[in-house]
Amino acid sequence: MSRLSATLSRVKPSPTIAVTTKAQELKAAGRDVIGLGAGEPDFPTPAHIRAAGIRAIEEGKTKYTAVDGIPELKAAICAKFKRDNGLDYVPAQVSVASGGKQILYNALMATLNPGDEVLIPAPYWVSYPDMVLLAGGEPVIAPAGIETGFKLTPEALEAAITPKTRWFIFNSPSNPTGAGYTWDELKALTDVLLRHPHVWIMTDDMYEHLAYDGFEFCTPAQVEPALYDRTLTCNGVSKAYCMTGWRIGYAAGPQDLIAAMRKIQSQSTSNPCTISQWAAVEALNGSHDFIAENNTVFARRRDLVVKMLNEVEGIDCPTPNGAFYVYPSIAGLIGKTSAGGAKITDDEAFATALLEETGVAVVFGAAFGLSPNFRISYATSDEALKEACTRIQTFCKGLS
Ligand code: GLU
């Protein structure tokens, strides 16, 4: 292809998707690969939610719907925000899209002008900066390293805000670190934001229900009601409800912003899949019992992975209280050479050598803006995790 847009040259393909695709290709070619790249639960979508999708098909609910969601789903989302977060929204403040990604993208497209800055704590989920670039804005990265538990401090937030800051993107529990902010930690950040009325808050609450060790989730508009009018609270059914492929994300916020997002969606993709919307109604309104059961399994897997990784000299793996990721540091391994002769110059070289020499697929830290680390998604079977961690241990022991 000879001519691509200038905008496209500013962005890269999604590294999480690239690693997942690579692992699938190697598997298809007959290689013994354990994929710990993709952030998606290995559990099937619960039966009652699947049944709602099948019912929708049988009942002929297969036509176009309102661009940003059927009334039944918007009502279920309003009820969810009230029930879980104590937040009052009416349906006109709610937008439904094809996954959390489209929600964030619509919001950025609807609001950014050239030169506008979007403040993103690092490590961040891979798509935030590139979505900002696609929308014509400038990502501004604020460090939130391992020494502060991968959490942004109020000082670092204050220091990164400029007169051009349009949005602050907040994600807790975090992809890729699993770190969840306590109420007090979040309050310290919202106190800073109160002093900067030109900064809007985009929260990515996708991992809300994936919390361990008694961690209590909270979201900015709940912690500081004075920020309600400039907060877009984003969420979705993908992770907690094991519905990654159904593609339903949603958000609630100021009506004029929601209307602007609807305008973009009306001229791009129209409504999210009708069948998925009906399944999402059941997900939000139906029984949530399976979430606690899944979390028991996730916590056990997390403990297994953290323990086995920390047994390796040169790896430092904190224990996160949410999501299904760990984000170990490999500072102690940089500069070494693998048994297969690969020089571990950085975390990308580590992940590449690990995949080639052991068949374990992980995502390298540079993709998330903080090195030298790597991300493991532990949303896979205990057996696969044990085998993968054993291979990582052997690989690291072979470094010289
Ligand atoms: N959010 C998931 C991940 O981080 C899915 C892949 C993606 O959309 O980036 O692995």
Side-chain angles (χ1 to χ4, degrees):
M1 208 181 315
S2 54
R3 272 162 40 108
L4 298 174
S5 73
T7 304
L8 196 67
S9 70
R10 303 179 79 200
V11 303
K12 58 182 182 320
S14 163
T16 48
I17 291 178
V19 168
T20 310
T21 310
K22 177 96 191 274
Q24 282 164 352
E25 280 169 7
L26 289 173
K27 240 184 213 168
R31 281 277 309 272
D32 169 21
V33 170
I34 307 177
L36 307 180
E40 66 175 342
D42 57 324
F43 305 124
T45 305
H48 64 287
I49 302 174
R50 296 201 303 268
I54 293 166
R55 211 162 44 240
I57 296 175
E58 299 294 358
E59 290 173 1
K61 291 171 173 162
T62 53
K63 308 235 186 278
Y64 294 134
T65 70
V67 164
D68 62 357
I70 53 176
E72 290 83 351
L73 183 50
K74 289 194 173 190
I77 291 165
C78 292
K80 172 261 172 297
F81 278 124
K82 186 72 186 161
R83 175 177 73 231
D84 295 340
N85 314 112
L87 291 171
D88 288 300
Y89 291 110
V90 295
Q93 290 178 282
V94 172
S95 177
V96 185
S98 301
K101 280 172 110 159
Q102 194 188 12
I103 286 286
L104 303 174
Y105 184 69
N106 285 348
L108 294 167
M109 286 297 282
T111 52
L112 293 184
N113 285 306
D116 284 349
E117 294 177 355
V118 177
L119 186 46
I120 304 170
Y124 46 72
W125 175 51
V126 293
S127 293
Y128 299 148
D130 290 80
M131 281 188 189
V132 170
L133 291 167
L134 277 175
E138 301 298 330
V140 171
I141 309 303
I146 199 163
E147 55 296 336
T148 55
F150 297 122
K151 292 176 203 175
L152 188 69
T153 63
E155 294 75 25
L157 173 61
E158 182 79 61
I161 292 175
T162 78
K164 290 182 176 169
T165 310
R166 183 75 178 83
W167 287 103
F168 166 55
I169 300 187
F170 177 75
N171 171 222
S172 165
S174 149
N175 177 2
T177 68
Y181 288 67
T182 64
W183 185 285
D184 289 347
E185 287 166 343
L186 181 50
K187 182 76 173 68
L189 297 183
T190 58
D191 282 350
V192 173
L193 294 162
L194 275 180
R195 295 198 290 274
H196 299 278
H198 67 293
V199 180
W200 283 45
I201 301 99
M202 193 179 292
T203 80
D204 179 350
D205 296 349
M206 191 58 90
Y207 296 90
E208 167 175 16
H209 294 297
L210 296 154
Y212 319 111
D213 307 334
F215 172 70
E216 284 185 32
F217 171 86
C218 52
T219 190
Q222 170 190 27
V223 169
E224 182 46 80
L227 295 176
Y228 175 88
D229 288 336
R230 51 182 167 112
T231 300
L232 184 68
T233 304
C234 306
N235 210 319
V237 295
S238 292
K239 311 290 182 177
Y241 301 91
C242 312
M243 292 178 73
T244 46
W246 298 76
R247 309 310 300 136
I248 295 291
Y250 59 83
Q255 263 190 54
D256 53 352
L257 172 60
I258 295 295
M261 290 162 64
R262 183 186 315 130
K263 192 169 168 183
I264 290 175
Q265 197 160 304
S266 78
Q267 292 291 23
S268 52
T269 60
S270 294
N271 64 277
C273 171
T274 306
I275 301 150
S276 299
Q277 290 190 65
W278 284 104
V281 170
E282 176 60 26
L284 293 177
N285 289 344
S287 166
H288 282 62
D289 292 349
F290 64 93
I291 293 182
E293 290 162 24
N294 290 356
N295 284 357
T296 306
V297 176
F298 283 140
R300 183 182 73 223
R301 292 172 177 174
R302 174 201 63 174
D303 292 343
L304 167 84
V305 170
V306 168
K307 178 170 172 292
M308 288 188 76
L309 291 179
N310 278 327
E311 282 165 9
V312 177
E313 213 185 304
I315 293 188
D316 176 15
C317 185
T319 304
N321 53 9
F324 38 59
Y325 305 111
V326 292
Y327 198 64
S329 162
I330 51 161
L333 303 177
I334 298 300
K336 300 196 174 205
T337 303
S338 74
K343 187 106 179 118
I344 309 300
T345 46
D346 53 24
D347 50 35
E348 185 164 5
F350 174 86
T352 305
L354 187 69
L355 180 58
E356 274 166 14
E357 296 178 31
T358 74
V360 175
V362 300
V363 187
F364 58 94
F368 306 99
L370 187 90
S371 292
N373 291 67
F374 66 95
R375 186 191 81 172
I376 280 184
S377 166
Y378 57 80
T380 191
S381 73
D382 293 42
E383 294 69 37
L385 289 170
K386 244 178 246 168
E387 173 61 21
C389 289
T390 304
R391 290 189 200 179
I392 293 173
Q393 289 184 339
T394 309
F395 175 81
C396 293
K397 268 191 207 127
L399 295 172
S400 53

